[in-house]
Amino acid sequence: MHHCHQSALPRRSALLWCLGVPLALWGCAQPPAAPSSHGLLQRTLWSGRLALQVEGYPSRSFIAAFELQGNAHLGSLQLTGPLGQTLAQLHWNPQGARLETGHTTEEASSIEALLERDTGAPIPVVALFDWLAGQPTAIEGWSTDLSAIAQGRLTATRFSPEPHTTLRITFEY
């Protein structure tokens, strides 16, 4: 397995550079499962479009189609471009996380560490899975808008500390 050995800035932005596609490609995704007579179904597969914007110097943003499987502790995320090409694959388990982009593979001790290194902002993975399920889990420094979750949209914004970060996910039924 080839490990990426680059300076901090190129390594941090490797995922963002790989995923740079026009924001006009914003599309749809699948929402969390609907409640059943036994309560909320535990969903383990999502797909759709996501956009991430990290403000700062330099500001970074990307948009991609995604397929997310698993949970905050064990799972995978595949990001694809507008023509269906695989841009990145991310796999994680309790022992660590691995990101594959083209011919480059990066590893970290956790999914959170890998995402923060590659996007430049901490992403609250446990809370993200709660948000996908429509649960308004509070995270210090983040605000979430789940008001349109029934219509297939969620927005999470990190306002403190820097860098300000906005994550938008769109779902379809």
Side-chain angles (χ1 to χ4, degrees):
M1 182 170 4
H2 175 71
H3 296 279
C4 183
H5 297 286
Q6 302 171 352
S7 69
L9 181 59
R11 181 175 55 239
R12 176 180 291 157
S13 62
L15 177 62
L16 293 174
W17 279 108
C18 181
L19 300 175
V21 293
L23 290 176
L25 296 175
W26 187 257
C28 298
Q30 295 178 357
S36 71
S37 60
H38 299 92
L40 189 66
L41 296 174
Q42 186 64 22
R43 188 175 182 117
T44 60
L45 175 64
W46 295 265
S47 63
R49 298 236 183 249
L50 63 84
L52 179 68
Q53 181 175 9
V54 180
E55 296 177 16
Y57 184 79
S59 292
R60 297 174 293 258
S61 64
F62 74 87
I63 185 168
F66 74 90
E67 183 173 293
L68 174 64
Q69 293 184 311
N71 58 48
H73 308 290
L74 177 67
S76 66
L77 172 66
Q78 180 170 317
L79 300 170
T80 56
L83 301 176
Q85 73 277 25
T86 298
L87 301 173
Q89 291 185 350
L90 183 60
H91 304 276
W92 64 93
N93 60 41
Q95 290 73 43
R98 182 178 72 247
L99 172 67
E100 299 171 4
T101 57
H103 299 292
T104 303
T105 299
E106 294 184 57
E107 294 182 330
S109 61
S110 70
I111 182 66
E112 291 87 356
L114 185 60
L115 287 173
E116 183 170 0
R117 184 175 70 204
D118 282 339
T119 65
I123 306 296
V125 175
V126 172
L128 177 59
F129 277 91
D130 288 348
W131 299 336
L132 288 167
Q135 300 171 9
T137 300
I139 297 293
E140 187 175 345
W142 284 82
S143 68
T144 56
D145 181 357
L146 302 179
S147 64
I149 198 78
Q151 291 78 36
R153 291 186 307 274
L154 76 86
T155 301
T157 304
R158 180 175 188 242
F159 55 88
S160 176
E162 298 283 335
H164 290 238
T165 304
T166 304
L167 174 65
R168 290 182 180 90
I169 300 176
T170 301
F171 307 82
E172 70 181 28
Y173 290 96

